Amino acid sequence: MTDQTFPPAKPDVVVIGAGWAGSIMAKELTEAGLNVTMLERGHDHSTAVEGTYPGSIDELRGAVRKRLFQKLARTSLTIRNRPDQTALPYRQLAAFLPGEGVGGAGLHWSGCHFRVTEDDLRLRSATIERYGQKFIPKDMHLQDYGISYGELEPFFDKAEKVFGTSGEASSVQGQKTGRGNVFALDRSSHFPLPPMADTFSASVFRQAAREAGFHPYSMPAANASQPYTNPYGCQMGPCNFCGYCSGYACYLYSKASPNVNILPALRQDKRFRLITQAQVLEILLDDTRKRATGVRYIDLKTDSEQVIEADLVILSAFQLHNVHLMLTSGIGKPYDPVSQSGTIGRNFTYQTITSSRVWLPENRCTNQFVGAGGAGVAIDDFNQPGFDRGRAGFIGGSPVWVNQAGLKPIAAAQGSGGKGSPRWGGAYKAAMIDQYRHSFSIDAHGSNMAYRDVYLDLDPTWRNAYGQPMLRMTFTWKDNDIRMNQYVVRQIGDIAQAMGATRTSLNSLLPGQLFDSRIYQTTHLSGGVILGSNPKTSALNRYLQSWDVPNLFVIGSSAFPQGMGYNPTGLVAALAYWSAYHIRQTYLRNPGPMVHA
């Protein structure tokens, strides 16, 4: 049910944000018999409207004018590289692209659907066990999740079945298949769908990576390789590699999204109500400030202030918005980089990613217009736990992959030629044609660690349209992550040589390079409301329940203690199902702080 006019009577649960995390929580809690109201500040979106062909594959409207992304006119954030600088507003979407409207970033994402490595959930412990305490740089904040892979595995499995994920398992219930990612952890079942087919560039990369001594595998993709019906009864069509995934609503219903895979079932439940154009300003607390009583929001259709009371509050917006709402609501202690005390805004991380390019002989055409957002071939040799970081001199890791998602005309014209190529005239056109026909990109998609002086807080100067302080981001690249990226990118040269590349343009982070918010990198932002086992260094317990306000759960990548090499959506979904399970099994029977035995 969608109510566009009046706030509902008091529900049991109010969910803030209608992306993947919010949709999962709403579905699970309505199944538990609770009345759930979901608030979304953007407009309602459905594939039948936003995915209508051919308008849905308009590059100018989608990628350039960014129709599915957050509108910055009313609220944004400020950005600086160091604490001694003055932050300035992020006025134009570039480096990262939060979604807006029903589906959130889950409507416009690509579809890369990974799990985790063995070390991702216990990185601090694993690093100390292998390399000793002194290997951790002084101002690096490493932290374990406090959850094991074994505990999360059933929820990774459930998410893949809901998403209709295509992939190839290496180990199922202890039995090796002889295929898939040889470094991947054991699974309880196979992927629901077989892997996506290789594009030409992916097949070339697969063969060359194998010849270079690495271990290529098909990337797990939330793009349907075959027709599929998920456990909720939601249907997906097979992907046709049209190349319009990232930034677009899939007109074939082939890319998993909340709009395709959860909301069609959820909207039929009378216990569910969706209110769109609802800008949440504050999570309301009682006099003790230990219990949430509901939320205060602006109805953007009427510019009127509304209040919804609820017994349980789920904060499941985009990572930045989760942190901002915790700060503006006064929940938890804001992080102080000098004393390193406080938890809200602590351990903010991003993702290192650089794209290198290889050119093939003129008799080999790469057909870059063909693609799918999650499809591709990757190697995990520099991301898996057995890789010796001690010799390499960094913490973290990076997969390397060819993820040909479909190169479109405007993007091809803007990024043609490589370093040192002409920018106009006949030579520019020749370089553009050559690059489009005979080259492809290889990405190093790596982790980003947390540091003392990288954090989120409230800006003392800039305010949004509602009179609230904007969120302030203090972020730049650090030496550890630059070394990691440079090391991994150097290995791409061996793969390029094995494939017979005629020219190679390797692109890595440079020593001392600052984060530049004008250039798109990824939308994989993490941390700021992290989980853990110690209330002094984490905002949430292992169930994503607030230490300070036990009837508040904060779901999303904001809970990650540090960045990892993989895309975050798979872990976000698994943690959402994990949290919902424990709310249903434990919290609803005995409301209050949940304690791990």
Side-chain angles (χ1 to χ4, degrees):
M1 177 184 296
T2 301
D3 188 332
Q4 297 287 350
T5 307
F6 302 106
K10 180 181 177 180
D12 301 307
V13 186
V14 62
V15 174
I16 303 168
W20 275 121
S23 298
I24 289 170
M25 298 301 289
K27 185 70 174 74
E28 290 291 302
L29 296 177
T30 54
E31 287 184 357
L34 301 179
N35 293 312
V36 176
T37 293
M38 176 185 282
L39 301 178
E40 165 57 47
R41 72 171 169 197
H43 292 273
D44 200 355
H45 287 155
S46 69
T47 300
V49 177
E50 276 70 31
T52 301
Y53 183 87
S56 61
I57 60 169
D58 183 336
E59 185 185 8
L60 181 62
R61 186 168 64 154
V64 178
R65 295 176 178 166
K66 299 178 171 58
R67 71 176 182 129
L68 296 180
F69 305 134
Q70 180 183 338
K71 309 302 183 288
L72 302 182
R74 287 178 175 263
T75 185
S76 183
L77 74 158
T78 63
I79 301 176
R80 61 183 180 175
N81 293 132
R82 301 188 310 271
D84 62 347
Q85 295 176 323
T86 299
L88 295 174
Y90 184 56
R91 297 183 183 274
Q92 184 172 335
L93 291 170
F96 46 86
L97 306 170
E100 184 169 286
V102 172
L107 180 59
H108 73 69
W109 73 314
S110 290
C112 299
H113 191 187
F114 289 92
R115 293 191 173 191
V116 292
T117 72
E118 184 178 4
D119 285 359
D120 284 332
L121 300 178
R122 54 184 306 273
L123 187 58
R124 180 177 178 83
S125 295
T127 300
I128 292 173
E129 289 166 6
R130 291 194 184 98
Y131 310 114
Q133 175 80 42
K134 292 183 180 179
F135 192 67
I136 303 174
K138 177 183 177 182
D139 288 333
M140 182 185 288
H141 287 176
L142 287 191
Q143 188 161 306
D144 295 348
Y145 280 67
I147 312 171
S148 70
Y149 173 76
E151 291 175 302
L152 275 184
E153 199 284 331
F155 305 101
F156 281 115
D157 184 74
K158 181 172 184 175
E160 288 166 354
K161 288 179 169 60
V162 170
F163 283 47
T165 304
S166 303
E168 196 166 41
S170 174
S171 175
V172 180
Q173 297 185 21
Q175 299 297 311
K176 296 294 184 181
T177 68
R179 300 180 301 276
N181 180 7
V182 298
F183 302 115
L185 294 167
D186 192 51
R187 306 166 53 88
S188 58
S189 67
H190 286 274
F191 286 95
L193 291 173
M196 297 283 283
D198 286 355
T199 60
F200 175 73
S201 61
S203 68
V204 170
F205 178 80
R206 185 189 294 272
Q207 180 178 346
R210 188 178 291 117
E211 291 177 1
F214 302 125
H215 302 82
Y217 65 94
S218 296
M219 293 171 61
N223 310 122
S225 59
Q226 296 177 357
Y228 181 70
T229 301
N230 78 3
Y232 299 146
C234 301
Q235 297 180 326
M236 302 177 73
C239 174
N240 72 350
F241 286 80
C242 76
Y244 285 84
C245 288
S246 183
Y248 303 86
C250 177
Y251 67 91
L252 284 174
Y253 294 74
S254 305
K255 181 182 71 174
S257 69
N259 315 66
V260 169
N261 297 68
I262 299 177
L263 287 166
L266 186 56
R267 289 177 190 266
Q268 298 179 44
D269 195 319
K270 294 181 180 179
R271 291 165 296 197
F272 173 71
R273 176 166 285 177
L274 169 66
I275 301 177
T276 58
Q277 294 182 267
Q279 173 73 48
V280 178
L281 301 179
E282 181 183 9
I283 298 170
L284 301 173
L285 304 176
D286 67 6
D287 292 340
T288 68
R289 302 196 66 78
K290 295 294 183 182
R291 182 177 179 277
T293 60
V295 302
R296 179 171 63 92
Y297 73 94
I298 296 290
D299 182 338
L300 297 177
K301 300 178 295 295
T302 62
D303 281 331
S304 61
E305 188 171 297
Q306 305 287 346
V307 170
I308 294 183
E309 296 182 348
D311 296 321
L312 182 61
V313 176
I314 306 295
L315 175 53
S316 52
F318 186 72
Q319 178 271 336
L320 294 171
H321 309 321
N322 280 355
V323 180
H324 188 239
L325 199 49
M326 291 289 282
L327 289 169
T328 56
S329 301
I331 300 173
K333 182 179 178 182
Y335 172 68
D336 177 4
V338 177
S339 65
Q340 301 189 65
S341 63
T343 60
I344 308 302
R346 177 188 176 100
N347 283 42
F348 170 65
T349 58
Y350 197 31
Q351 187 126 46
T352 60
I353 180 168
T354 56
S355 293
S356 298
R357 184 163 290 276
V358 295
W359 280 258
L360 301 180
E362 291 186 359
N363 63 345
R364 307 181 82 186
C365 294
T366 53
N367 296 327
Q368 291 183 79
F369 62 91
V370 175
V377 172
I379 61 171
D380 257 2
D381 296 72
F382 313 111
N383 192 48
Q384 50 96 7
F387 170 64
D388 188 356
R389 279 106 172 139
R391 292 184 62 186
F394 56 78
I395 295 171
S398 175
V400 176
W401 59 51
V402 169
N403 171 218
Q404 185 168 303
L407 183 60
K408 289 161 274 294
I410 298 173
Q414 289 177 331
S416 67
K419 296 177 181 178
S421 295
R423 304 308 303 159
W424 63 280
Y428 160 74
K429 293 177 182 179
M432 179 176 65
I433 293 170
D434 179 55
Q435 177 167 308
Y436 187 79
R437 287 180 174 174
H438 306 297
S439 77
F440 60 88
S441 63
I442 303 176
D443 298 332
H445 187 280
S447 59
N448 176 224
M449 297 298 105
Y451 300 91
R452 175 188 62 80
D453 58 351
V454 172
Y455 60 100
L456 301 170
D457 65 353
L458 294 178
D459 194 285
T461 303
W462 295 92
R463 294 182 175 269
N464 62 24
Y466 314 106
Q468 297 176 306
M470 285 189 185
L471 189 68
R472 179 171 62 178
M473 175 194 296
T474 303
F475 177 81
T476 197
W477 307 115
K478 297 290 187 174
D479 290 344
N480 174 86
D481 305 310
I482 292 172
R483 285 197 304 274
M484 181 272 295
N485 175 258
Q486 290 180 328
Y487 178 92
V488 174
V489 169
R490 286 197 297 271
Q491 316 313 311
I492 295 175
D494 294 336
I495 301 174
Q497 184 176 2
M499 69 177 65
T502 59
R503 180 157 61 104
T504 302
S505 177
L506 298 181
N507 180 33
S508 63
L509 295 175
L510 301 176
Q513 182 172 332
L514 300 178
F515 170 67
D516 189 340
S517 64
R518 300 169 299 175
I519 302 169
Y520 182 72
Q521 282 140 90
T522 76
T523 306
H524 304 159
L525 294 87
S526 304
V529 191
I530 65 173
L531 58 78
S533 57
N534 185 348
K536 292 184 178 180
T537 58
S538 59
L540 312 174
N541 64 20
R542 69 197 303 264
Y543 308 108
L544 286 81
Q545 179 185 36
S546 169
W547 291 110
D548 300 287
V549 182
N551 68 330
L552 169 65
F553 291 76
V554 186
I555 316 296
S557 64
S558 54
F560 296 6
Q562 54 267 327
M564 58 182 181
Y566 294 141
N567 304 55
T569 307
L571 182 54
V572 168
L575 286 173
Y577 279 116
W578 154 269
S579 180
Y581 173 83
H582 288 284
I583 291 173
R584 295 176 66 170
Q585 296 297 315
T586 303
Y587 179 85
L588 294 180
R589 297 174 182 177
N590 185 23
M594 290 192 286
V595 179
H596 177 47

